[in-house]
Amino acid sequence: MSTAIDIRSVVKRYGTTTALHSVGFEIGDNEFFTLLGPSGCGKTTLLRCIAGFEDVSEGQILLFGQDIAGLEPNLRPVNTVFQQYALFPHLSVIDNVAFGLKMKGMALDARRARAGKMLEMVHLSAFADRMPAQLSGGQQQRVALARALAPEPKVLLLDEPLSALDLKLRQAMRVELKSLQEQTGITFVFVTHDQEEALTMSDRIAVMSQGRVQQIGTARDIYEGPVNRFVADFIGETNLMEVDVTAISDGMADVILPGGHALRCPAAATTPGRHHLSIRPERVSLADGGEVTATVERVVYLGTDVQVMTRLPGGVPLSLRVQNSARIAIPAPGASVSLHLEEGAARLLAD
Amino acid sequence: MKGVRHYPGFLGITIACLVVLYAPLIVVTIYSFNDSNSITSWGGFSWRWYADVFTGPEADRFAAAAWNSITIAFLAATASTAIAVAAALAMIRGGRFKGKSATYALINLPLLVPEIVTAVATLIFFSTIGLTTGYLTILIAHITFCIPFAYLPIAARLSGIEETYEQAARDLYATRAQAFWLILLPLLMPGVISGYLLAFIISLDDFIITNFVKGAGMETLPTAIFGSVKQGIKPNIMAISTLMLAVSVLFVTLSYLVNRIGQKTRT
Ligand SMILES: Nc1ncnc2c1ncn2[C@@H]1O[C@H](COP(=O)(O)OP(=O)(O)OP(=O)(O)O)[C@@H](O)[C@H]1O
Ligand SMILES: [Mg+2]
């Protein structure tokens, strides 16, 4: 896989605040790459640096091997779907979609035909002559997508494009976006703070926090092998607890759980001592004769699942998810239960 | 909450203000249709003073003055609007630059400085640099004092337009110039038109500064009217005043309507 975007130690400062601290990674050609992180972590800033609306303070960005420092936005083969769509309010839908083609010098008939095709692709052919203000949020979002895709950019940047949509539409658009990316073969850089969105669509995800990339990997890599507390906590649900580590070798650690049970699990940390352990609630089960004993504190009914909140000896909380099935008896608060940690339930974090 | 109407004396004060403000205008308008030579007693309805404005003994003088007024207003409004657009772009889209607050003050200062001071200063300035007073000096002065009036609606509109539209255009391969002409300017248009109309009416209406810098033999409508009034008020003055009032009301209304349409198209 060749590299579409090579981000090399990019630092971006606004006055005294630093929005990006030495961010560096590569995005492959044809990849669906997601930047995931909480509000204010620098996702938009990084996109704006790639699009050319901001200059980087330090470092370099290479687009297909070419350093794009100082290149005006209109000279970059990159298009953006803006967070608030930014459809031109005085132009009709078709003229919005054809705008990029017009700027590239395409003749009227040709660009109208291509814009029409793009509208067909996003199922909006019937709306070609409407003004943007006459469309619903979801329709505007699709026009913004068609407008950005029409000039056939090599890279498409999408800044939380689904955040303004309701749940049903958002789920439908996820599928559409993903298949669109596969059809066109364009590299997508997708920004979101919604972990579910990131997990379901991306080839790879970069988890960001406070201007730093915390971890890069596939959805499975990141969910099942978080390197630090931030990632483990941000992606999905987890139990975090401090544990003693007696030995680490070959990426496996021997840890002592609160209550004294010894456990061997994968580790991101490399030195023994006191570290944080992440235990995924859905990998813990109620089992007679399980290796860990705990006391049930609260039971929360979630529909398909039941969340059982327990405390280990020493008062350390551990919650688990049990399928809501007739075959499984849900214990009552106050009961003492024994628990089984499945393969991959626990992982020792680096910090 | 109690409405403002419930404050004691509200109605009386309101009526008093409205009467003081508008009664003279209404009287002048009514008496411009008076069929008598007197300006105080009613002699029946007639268009005769309007006919007098266009064909009477002073018609040529008024025509020349009107021509000057209209061409100066047109040129001054055009130039000051162009300058105001550039100034608004620098102030609102130009990021931070040294002396920004000073520039802001400078743009709006003419609104605060007493007009008579500006008039005297402008005259002194022209004579210092050796420019003979006449059409050109009036035009320069008008361009200058029209700038803040054109600037205000344009700047207000511009600060309501998000920068992402221009960025979206740039992202879609538009040059800076294309992003301005194809995207920003159309979005800015309600502000530009509103500013232009205001500048036009302010120029058309100006008396004090014009009177100082116009030079001998050069008249605009306000100075011509003032000249006639000095020899005693004839009803034809009321007719010409009413005409100017009509033009002003028309322009201000247009400016208001354009702004309102603009608010509706704001996204
Ligand atoms: N023009 C600017 N001037 C100063 N600080 C800025 C500017 N733009 C962004 N920042 C700061 O940089 C940091 C990163 O902002 P950014 O917009 O990239 O966050 P984000 O990850 O996109 O957040 P969100 O999910 O809320 O959109 C924030 O702390 C923000 O306050
Ligand atoms: Mg953002």
Side-chain angles (χ1 to χ4, degrees):
Chain A
M1 189 170 64
S2 62
T3 305
I5 306 175
D6 185 357
I7 297 163
R8 295 185 177 170
S9 326
V10 165
V11 175
K12 176 65 192 176
R13 290 187 208 94
Y14 292 107
T16 53
T17 58
T18 307
L20 298 173
H21 297 267
S22 190
V23 168
F25 55 84
E26 292 182 14
I27 299 172
D29 202 5
N30 299 354
E31 198 173 8
F32 196 121
F33 191 91
T34 297
L35 298 174
L36 173 65
S39 185
C41 72
K43 307 179 297 285
T44 298
T45 304
L46 187 55
L47 275 201
R48 291 171 58 81
C49 289
I50 298 171
F53 306 131
E54 303 280 359
D55 295 324
V56 299
S57 309
E58 281 172 35
Q60 280 179 307
I61 298 176
L62 277 66
L63 205 63
F64 296 95
Q66 184 202 359
D67 188 344
I68 52 173
L71 204 61
E72 294 279 311
N74 53 319
L75 301 176
R76 301 183 182 200
V78 170
N79 286 159
T80 308
V81 178
F82 290 84
Q83 197 160 358
Q84 297 307 326
Y85 314 142
L87 297 179
F88 306 129
H90 60 300
L91 299 182
S92 67
V93 164
I94 187 107
D95 286 340
N96 261 280
V97 177
F99 186 84
L101 304 169
K102 185 177 172 185
M103 293 302 104
K104 285 188 123 182
M106 194 185 265
L108 180 70
D109 288 344
R111 67 177 188 252
R112 286 234 141 199
R114 170 139 182 87
K117 269 223 185 70
M118 299 309 297
L119 284 179
E120 219 168 277
M121 188 183 70
V122 296
H123 314 298
L124 284 177
S125 301
F127 298 84
D129 295 320
R130 290 230 194 148
M131 299 307 276
Q134 299 169 312
L135 300 181
S136 75
Q139 291 163 342
Q140 290 184 29
Q141 196 271 322
R142 282 182 281 162
V143 175
L145 191 66
R147 184 178 71 171
L149 282 170
E152 298 182 298
K154 290 185 181 166
V155 173
L156 189 69
L157 308 176
L158 303 103
D159 194 353
E160 308 200 22
L162 308 184
S163 59
L165 309 183
D166 65 44
L167 184 66
K168 273 270 180 284
L169 197 54
R170 201 153 68 218
Q171 285 168 342
M173 282 305 300
R174 278 183 203 160
V175 179
E176 272 191 61
L177 267 184
K178 181 70 187 166
S179 71
L180 213 66
Q181 190 263 337
E182 281 162 3
Q183 274 170 43
T184 56
I186 294 172
T187 305
F188 275 35
V189 183
F190 186 90
V191 162
T192 182
H193 59 249
D194 180 336
Q195 46 123 349
E196 193 185 322
E197 215 165 271
L199 293 176
T200 51
M201 292 199 289
S202 323
D203 294 324
R204 282 193 309 150
I205 301 168
V207 183
M208 294 179 66
S209 154
Q210 300 189 339
R212 291 191 172 80
V213 173
Q214 304 293 332
Q215 188 171 4
I216 296 181
T218 62
R220 185 172 285 255
D221 287 344
I222 286 178
Y223 187 81
E224 297 187 2
V227 293
N228 59 25
R229 259 188 295 166
F230 177 81
V231 177
D233 204 25
F234 192 71
I235 313 286
E237 265 179 82
T238 199
N239 294 288
L240 284 175
M241 60 190 74
E242 265 193 287
V243 293
D244 284 318
V245 181
T246 51
I248 295 189
S249 61
D250 301 332
M252 296 297 282
D254 290 311
V255 304
I256 313 281
L257 284 186
H261 177 67
L263 177 82
R264 198 167 161 75
C265 70
T270 50
T271 52
R274 237 172 135 62
H275 288 292
H276 280 91
L277 187 75
S278 154
I279 299 177
R280 292 287 184 199
E282 70 277 11
R283 294 260 173 125
V284 182
S285 53
L286 296 163
D288 289 335
E291 62 271 28
V292 181
T293 48
T295 312
V296 177
E297 195 169 66
R298 236 151 70 80
V299 174
V300 181
Y301 180 78
L302 298 173
T304 56
D305 284 0
V306 176
Q307 184 182 26
V308 182
M309 296 156 111
T310 71
R311 281 192 190 274
L312 298 176
V316 178
L318 175 72
S319 90
L320 56 142
R321 288 262 190 148
V322 200
Q323 226 179 37
N324 187 8
S325 150
R327 282 177 289 119
I328 301 171
I330 304 297
S336 178
V337 289
S338 62
L339 306 175
H340 170 59
L341 302 188
E342 291 166 18
E343 181 80 34
R347 180 176 166 83
L348 191 69
L349 306 172
D351 62 71
Chain B
M1 206 187 79
K2 266 170 83 167
V4 66
R5 252 170 293 183
H6 297 278
Y7 285 99
F10 172 79
L11 191 65
I13 294 173
T14 306
I15 290 174
C17 287
L18 288 177
V19 166
V20 170
L21 272 175
Y22 291 107
L25 294 181
I26 293 166
V27 169
V28 163
T29 306
I30 292 172
Y31 272 81
S32 70
F33 296 103
N34 191 0
D35 191 29
S36 113
N37 276 323
S38 158
I39 57 165
T40 47
S41 63
W42 183 250
F45 180 88
S46 123
W47 288 99
R48 66 178 274 213
W49 297 113
Y50 287 88
D52 184 80
V53 166
F54 291 103
T55 56
E58 286 188 289
D60 289 345
R61 217 176 122 245
F62 283 139
W67 174 251
N68 287 337
S69 269
I70 288 167
T71 55
I72 286 172
F74 172 75
L75 293 172
T78 307
S80 60
T81 303
I83 294 169
V85 168
L89 284 175
M91 293 301 291
I92 291 158
R93 286 294 195 263
R96 263 178 279 174
F97 58 87
K98 227 179 150 189
K100 187 167 181 171
S101 343
T103 311
Y104 181 78
L106 223 57
I107 292 171
N108 290 299
L109 207 58
L111 295 175
L112 302 174
V113 175
E115 221 187 321
I116 186 74
V117 176
T118 310
V120 172
T122 312
L123 179 61
I124 293 173
F125 172 73
F126 285 141
S127 64
T128 309
I129 63 167
L131 208 58
T132 22
T133 49
Y135 190 91
L136 185 65
T137 50
I138 302 177
L139 181 58
I140 294 172
H142 279 220
I143 291 173
T144 315
F145 70 71
C146 283
I147 289 172
F149 293 97
Y151 177 81
L152 290 176
I154 293 171
R157 175 80 186 174
L158 182 58
S159 46
I161 299 174
E162 290 198 38
E163 220 170 333
T164 43
Y165 295 117
E166 292 137 89
Q167 287 173 347
R170 300 276 283 132
D171 190 62
L172 292 162
Y173 314 105
T175 61
R176 264 174 216 280
Q178 286 171 321
F180 174 76
W181 289 106
L182 298 175
I183 303 301
L184 186 57
L185 194 58
L187 295 178
L188 196 56
M189 229 7 153
V192 171
I193 293 173
S194 182
Y196 184 94
L197 294 177
L198 267 180
F200 190 95
I201 213 68
I202 293 291
S203 164
L204 198 67
D205 185 51
D206 182 73
F207 173 73
I208 299 177
I209 295 175
T210 311
N211 203 35
F212 273 70
V213 301
K214 72 188 174 62
M218 174 59 78
E219 301 282 3
T220 63
L221 262 187
T223 64
I225 291 172
F226 185 70
S228 298
V229 169
K230 272 196 293 195
Q231 279 120 50
I233 303 181
K234 280 203 321 175
N236 65 345
I237 295 300
M238 298 201 187
I240 203 165
S241 301
T242 305
L243 286 173
M244 281 191 76
L245 181 66
V247 172
S248 298
V249 168
L250 180 73
F251 271 61
V252 171
T253 310
L254 277 180
S255 167
Y256 171 78
L257 286 179
V258 166
N259 243 333
R260 256 213 349 197
I261 293 165
Q263 254 146 38
K264 274 191 210 138
T265 62
R266 184 162 290 183
T267 49

